[in-house]
Amino acid sequence: MITIDEASPTPPFEQIRQQLTDEILSGNLTPGDKLASVRQLAGDLRLAPGTVARAYSELESDGLLISNRSGTRVRAVTPLPAAARAAARDYIAALGGLTLADAIRAVRVEWTDPAV
């Protein structure tokens, strides 16, 4: 499920964080689902355990995961409204090949532009 692009300038912990966030918010991972242990995922991805631990910690801070002695599980989150997902699909279709990073940058510029 999680993959690391070694050629990407995005650090591995951030790639893990982004991919798990997407899986949780899309509903592919549901509340209560147990994630692989830090050591297991680190071994599977051939990363240092601290890299995975950092990703899990940030996801916990974001309110998406909860960790305890029995492991790390997905927290219940409010799903994205259907209208927001539909608008996102329309936006993606209109981008015509723009990268995700450029699309996010465009949204940030428009979001913070006082003229809007």
Side-chain angles (χ1 to χ4, degrees), residues 40-77:
Q40 178 65 50
L41 186 57
D44 292 347
L45 298 175
R46 296 184 178 157
L47 296 171
T51 301
V52 175
R54 181 173 177 187
Y56 279 15
S57 176
E58 291 195 12
L59 288 164
E60 216 173 331
S61 294
D62 293 342
L64 298 177
L65 297 181
I66 186 164
S67 296
N68 56 35
R69 287 183 167 203
S70 66
T72 301
R73 297 185 181 275
V74 175
R75 276 195 147 167
V77 295

Short mmCIF file of all heavy atoms in Angstrom, two decimals, residues 40-77:
data_model
loop_
_atom_site.label_atom_id
_atom_site.label_comp_id
_atom_site.label_asym_id
_atom_site.label_seq_id
_atom_site.Cartn_x
_atom_site.Cartn_y
_atom_site.Cartn_z
N GLN A 40 7.77 -3.01 11.53
CA GLN A 40 7.34 -3.80 10.37
C GLN A 40 7.33 -2.95 9.10
O GLN A 40 7.88 -3.35 8.08
CB GLN A 40 5.93 -4.38 10.61
CG GLN A 40 5.40 -5.18 9.43
CD GLN A 40 6.21 -6.43 9.15
OE1 GLN A 40 6.47 -7.21 10.04
NE2 GLN A 40 6.64 -6.61 7.90
N LEU A 41 6.71 -1.76 9.17
CA LEU A 41 6.65 -0.91 7.98
C LEU A 41 8.05 -0.43 7.58
O LEU A 41 8.37 -0.40 6.39
CB LEU A 41 5.72 0.28 8.21
CG LEU A 41 5.45 1.16 7.00
CD1 LEU A 41 4.90 0.35 5.82
CD2 LEU A 41 4.50 2.30 7.35
N ALA A 42 8.87 -0.10 8.57
CA ALA A 42 10.24 0.33 8.26
C ALA A 42 10.99 -0.79 7.54
O ALA A 42 11.68 -0.55 6.54
CB ALA A 42 10.97 0.72 9.54
N GLY A 43 10.84 -2.02 8.02
CA GLY A 43 11.49 -3.15 7.36
C GLY A 43 10.95 -3.38 5.95
O GLY A 43 11.73 -3.62 5.02
N ASP A 44 9.63 -3.29 5.79
CA ASP A 44 9.02 -3.49 4.47
C ASP A 44 9.50 -2.44 3.47
O ASP A 44 9.71 -2.75 2.29
CB ASP A 44 7.50 -3.42 4.56
CG ASP A 44 6.88 -4.59 5.30
OD1 ASP A 44 7.60 -5.59 5.56
OD2 ASP A 44 5.68 -4.50 5.64
N LEU A 45 9.67 -1.20 3.95
CA LEU A 45 10.06 -0.10 3.07
C LEU A 45 11.57 0.12 3.03
O LEU A 45 12.05 0.98 2.30
CB LEU A 45 9.37 1.20 3.50
CG LEU A 45 7.85 1.20 3.44
CD1 LEU A 45 7.29 2.50 4.01
CD2 LEU A 45 7.37 1.00 2.00
N ARG A 46 12.30 -0.66 3.85
CA ARG A 46 13.75 -0.53 3.95
C ARG A 46 14.16 0.89 4.38
O ARG A 46 15.00 1.54 3.76
CB ARG A 46 14.43 -0.92 2.65
CG ARG A 46 14.20 -2.37 2.32
CD ARG A 46 14.93 -2.80 1.10
NE ARG A 46 14.68 -4.22 0.89
CZ ARG A 46 14.78 -4.81 -0.26
NH1 ARG A 46 15.13 -4.13 -1.32
NH2 ARG A 46 14.53 -6.10 -0.37
N LEU A 47 13.50 1.34 5.44
CA LEU A 47 13.76 2.65 6.02
C LEU A 47 14.13 2.49 7.49
O LEU A 47 13.85 1.45 8.09
CB LEU A 47 12.51 3.53 5.93
CG LEU A 47 12.01 3.90 4.54
CD1 LEU A 47 10.66 4.59 4.65
CD2 LEU A 47 13.01 4.80 3.83
N ALA A 48 14.68 3.53 8.05
CA ALA A 48 14.96 3.53 9.49
C ALA A 48 13.64 3.63 10.25
O ALA A 48 12.72 4.33 9.81
CB ALA A 48 15.85 4.72 9.84
N PRO A 49 13.52 2.91 11.36
CA PRO A 49 12.28 2.98 12.14
C PRO A 49 11.90 4.41 12.54
O PRO A 49 10.72 4.75 12.59
CB PRO A 49 12.58 2.13 13.38
CG PRO A 49 13.62 1.17 12.92
CD PRO A 49 14.46 1.93 11.92
N GLY A 50 12.89 5.26 12.77
CA GLY A 50 12.60 6.64 13.13
C GLY A 50 11.85 7.40 12.04
O GLY A 50 11.07 8.31 12.32
N THR A 51 12.07 7.02 10.79
CA THR A 51 11.39 7.66 9.67
C THR A 51 9.90 7.36 9.73
O THR A 51 9.06 8.27 9.60
CB THR A 51 11.98 7.17 8.33
OG1 THR A 51 13.38 7.49 8.31
CG2 THR A 51 11.29 7.79 7.14
N VAL A 52 9.57 6.10 9.95
CA VAL A 52 8.16 5.70 10.04
C VAL A 52 7.55 6.27 11.31
O VAL A 52 6.42 6.77 11.30
CB VAL A 52 8.03 4.16 9.99
CG1 VAL A 52 6.58 3.74 10.22
CG2 VAL A 52 8.55 3.63 8.66
N ALA A 53 8.29 6.24 12.40
CA ALA A 53 7.79 6.78 13.67
C ALA A 53 7.45 8.26 13.53
O ALA A 53 6.44 8.72 14.07
CB ALA A 53 8.82 6.58 14.78
N ARG A 54 8.25 9.00 12.79
CA ARG A 54 7.98 10.43 12.58
C ARG A 54 6.68 10.61 11.81
O ARG A 54 5.86 11.46 12.15
CB ARG A 54 9.13 11.10 11.85
CG ARG A 54 8.91 12.58 11.65
CD ARG A 54 10.11 13.28 11.09
NE ARG A 54 9.82 14.68 10.85
CZ ARG A 54 10.64 15.51 10.25
NH1 ARG A 54 11.82 15.07 9.82
NH2 ARG A 54 10.30 16.76 10.06
N ALA A 55 6.49 9.82 10.77
CA ALA A 55 5.25 9.91 9.98
C ALA A 55 4.04 9.59 10.86
O ALA A 55 3.05 10.32 10.85
CB ALA A 55 5.32 8.97 8.78
N TYR A 56 4.12 8.50 11.62
CA TYR A 56 3.01 8.12 12.50
C TYR A 56 2.75 9.22 13.54
O TYR A 56 1.61 9.55 13.83
CB TYR A 56 3.32 6.80 13.21
CG TYR A 56 3.07 5.54 12.41
CD1 TYR A 56 2.89 5.56 11.02
CD2 TYR A 56 3.02 4.31 13.04
CE1 TYR A 56 2.67 4.39 10.31
CE2 TYR A 56 2.80 3.13 12.34
CZ TYR A 56 2.62 3.18 10.97
OH TYR A 56 2.39 2.02 10.28
N SER A 57 3.81 9.78 14.10
CA SER A 57 3.67 10.83 15.10
C SER A 57 2.96 12.06 14.52
O SER A 57 2.07 12.64 15.17
CB SER A 57 5.04 11.22 15.64
OG SER A 57 4.94 12.29 16.54
N GLU A 58 3.33 12.44 13.32
CA GLU A 58 2.69 13.61 12.70
C GLU A 58 1.22 13.32 12.38
O GLU A 58 0.37 14.19 12.54
CB GLU A 58 3.46 14.04 11.45
CG GLU A 58 4.80 14.63 11.83
CD GLU A 58 5.47 15.40 10.72
OE1 GLU A 58 4.83 15.70 9.69
OE2 GLU A 58 6.66 15.72 10.89
N LEU A 59 0.93 12.10 11.97
CA LEU A 59 -0.46 11.72 11.71
C LEU A 59 -1.28 11.69 12.99
O LEU A 59 -2.46 12.02 13.00
CB LEU A 59 -0.52 10.37 10.99
CG LEU A 59 -0.06 10.41 9.54
CD1 LEU A 59 0.24 9.01 9.03
CD2 LEU A 59 -1.09 11.09 8.67
N GLU A 60 -0.62 11.32 14.09
CA GLU A 60 -1.29 11.35 15.38
C GLU A 60 -1.59 12.81 15.77
O GLU A 60 -2.69 13.12 16.23
CB GLU A 60 -0.41 10.69 16.44
CG GLU A 60 -1.19 9.93 17.45
CD GLU A 60 -0.31 9.12 18.39
OE1 GLU A 60 0.79 8.69 18.02
OE2 GLU A 60 -0.77 8.94 19.53
N SER A 61 -0.62 13.69 15.54
CA SER A 61 -0.82 15.12 15.82
C SER A 61 -1.92 15.71 14.96
O SER A 61 -2.64 16.62 15.39
CB SER A 61 0.48 15.90 15.58
OG SER A 61 1.45 15.52 16.51
N ASP A 62 -2.06 15.19 13.74
CA ASP A 62 -3.12 15.65 12.82
C ASP A 62 -4.48 15.08 13.20
O ASP A 62 -5.49 15.43 12.57
CB ASP A 62 -2.80 15.24 11.38
CG ASP A 62 -1.58 15.94 10.80
OD1 ASP A 62 -1.17 16.99 11.35
OD2 ASP A 62 -1.04 15.44 9.79
N GLY A 63 -4.52 14.18 14.17
CA GLY A 63 -5.78 13.60 14.61
C GLY A 63 -6.27 12.44 13.76
O GLY A 63 -7.43 12.04 13.85
N LEU A 64 -5.38 11.88 12.93
CA LEU A 64 -5.79 10.79 12.05
C LEU A 64 -5.48 9.41 12.61
O LEU A 64 -6.10 8.42 12.21
CB LEU A 64 -5.12 10.95 10.69
CG LEU A 64 -5.48 12.22 9.91
CD1 LEU A 64 -4.70 12.29 8.62
CD2 LEU A 64 -6.97 12.29 9.65
N LEU A 65 -4.51 9.33 13.51
CA LEU A 65 -4.12 8.05 14.11
C LEU A 65 -4.15 8.15 15.63
O LEU A 65 -4.03 9.25 16.18
CB LEU A 65 -2.71 7.65 13.68
CG LEU A 65 -2.43 7.40 12.21
CD1 LEU A 65 -0.97 7.00 12.01
CD2 LEU A 65 -3.36 6.33 11.65
N ILE A 66 -4.25 7.00 16.24
CA ILE A 66 -4.11 6.91 17.69
C ILE A 66 -3.23 5.70 17.98
O ILE A 66 -3.40 4.64 17.38
CB ILE A 66 -5.47 6.80 18.41
CG1 ILE A 66 -5.27 6.86 19.90
CG2 ILE A 66 -6.24 5.58 17.97
CD1 ILE A 66 -6.54 7.15 20.68
N SER A 67 -2.24 5.90 18.84
CA SER A 67 -1.30 4.82 19.18
C SER A 67 -1.38 4.52 20.66
O SER A 67 -1.53 5.42 21.48
CB SER A 67 0.13 5.23 18.83
OG SER A 67 0.27 5.42 17.45
N ASN A 68 -1.27 3.24 20.97
CA ASN A 68 -1.18 2.80 22.36
C ASN A 68 -0.44 1.47 22.37
O ASN A 68 0.11 1.06 21.34
CB ASN A 68 -2.57 2.72 23.02
CG ASN A 68 -3.52 1.84 22.27
OD1 ASN A 68 -3.12 0.82 21.69
ND2 ASN A 68 -4.79 2.21 22.25
N ARG A 69 -0.46 0.79 23.49
CA ARG A 69 0.29 -0.46 23.61
C ARG A 69 -0.16 -1.53 22.62
O ARG A 69 0.61 -2.40 22.25
CB ARG A 69 0.19 -1.00 25.01
CG ARG A 69 1.00 -0.22 25.97
CD ARG A 69 0.94 -0.83 27.34
NE ARG A 69 1.98 -0.23 28.15
CZ ARG A 69 2.49 -0.79 29.19
NH1 ARG A 69 2.06 -1.97 29.58
NH2 ARG A 69 3.44 -0.18 29.86
N SER A 70 -1.42 -1.46 22.21
CA SER A 70 -1.92 -2.49 21.30
C SER A 70 -1.64 -2.16 19.84
O SER A 70 -1.99 -2.94 18.95
CB SER A 70 -3.42 -2.71 21.51
OG SER A 70 -4.15 -1.56 21.13
N GLY A 71 -1.03 -1.01 19.57
CA GLY A 71 -0.67 -0.67 18.20
C GLY A 71 -1.18 0.69 17.77
O GLY A 71 -1.67 1.47 18.57
N THR A 72 -1.07 0.92 16.48
CA THR A 72 -1.50 2.19 15.89
C THR A 72 -2.73 1.93 15.04
O THR A 72 -2.72 1.05 14.17
CB THR A 72 -0.36 2.81 15.04
OG1 THR A 72 0.78 3.00 15.89
CG2 THR A 72 -0.78 4.13 14.44
N ARG A 73 -3.77 2.69 15.31
CA ARG A 73 -5.04 2.51 14.60
C ARG A 73 -5.52 3.83 14.01
O ARG A 73 -5.15 4.91 14.47
CB ARG A 73 -6.11 1.98 15.55
CG ARG A 73 -5.77 0.60 16.10
CD ARG A 73 -6.90 0.03 16.94
NE ARG A 73 -6.54 -1.27 17.45
CZ ARG A 73 -6.69 -2.41 16.79
NH1 ARG A 73 -7.19 -2.40 15.59
NH2 ARG A 73 -6.33 -3.55 17.34
N VAL A 74 -6.38 3.68 13.01
CA VAL A 74 -6.98 4.85 12.36
C VAL A 74 -8.07 5.40 13.27
O VAL A 74 -8.88 4.64 13.82
CB VAL A 74 -7.58 4.45 10.99
CG1 VAL A 74 -8.32 5.62 10.36
CG2 VAL A 74 -6.48 3.94 10.07
N ARG A 75 -8.08 6.71 13.43
CA ARG A 75 -9.12 7.39 14.21
C ARG A 75 -10.31 7.68 13.32
O ARG A 75 -10.18 7.81 12.10
CB ARG A 75 -8.61 8.73 14.72
CG ARG A 75 -7.84 8.66 15.96
CD ARG A 75 -7.72 10.04 16.52
NE ARG A 75 -7.73 9.88 17.95
CZ ARG A 75 -7.40 10.82 18.79
NH1 ARG A 75 -7.08 12.00 18.36
NH2 ARG A 75 -7.41 10.58 20.07
N ALA A 76 -11.44 7.86 13.94
CA ALA A 76 -12.63 8.28 13.19
C ALA A 76 -12.43 9.73 12.77
O ALA A 76 -12.06 10.58 13.58
CB ALA A 76 -13.87 8.15 14.06
N VAL A 77 -12.61 10.01 11.50
CA VAL A 77 -12.50 11.37 10.98
C VAL A 77 -13.75 11.68 10.17
O VAL A 77 -14.41 10.79 9.65
CB VAL A 77 -11.25 11.57 10.09
CG1 VAL A 77 -9.98 11.41 10.91
CG2 VAL A 77 -11.25 10.63 8.92
#
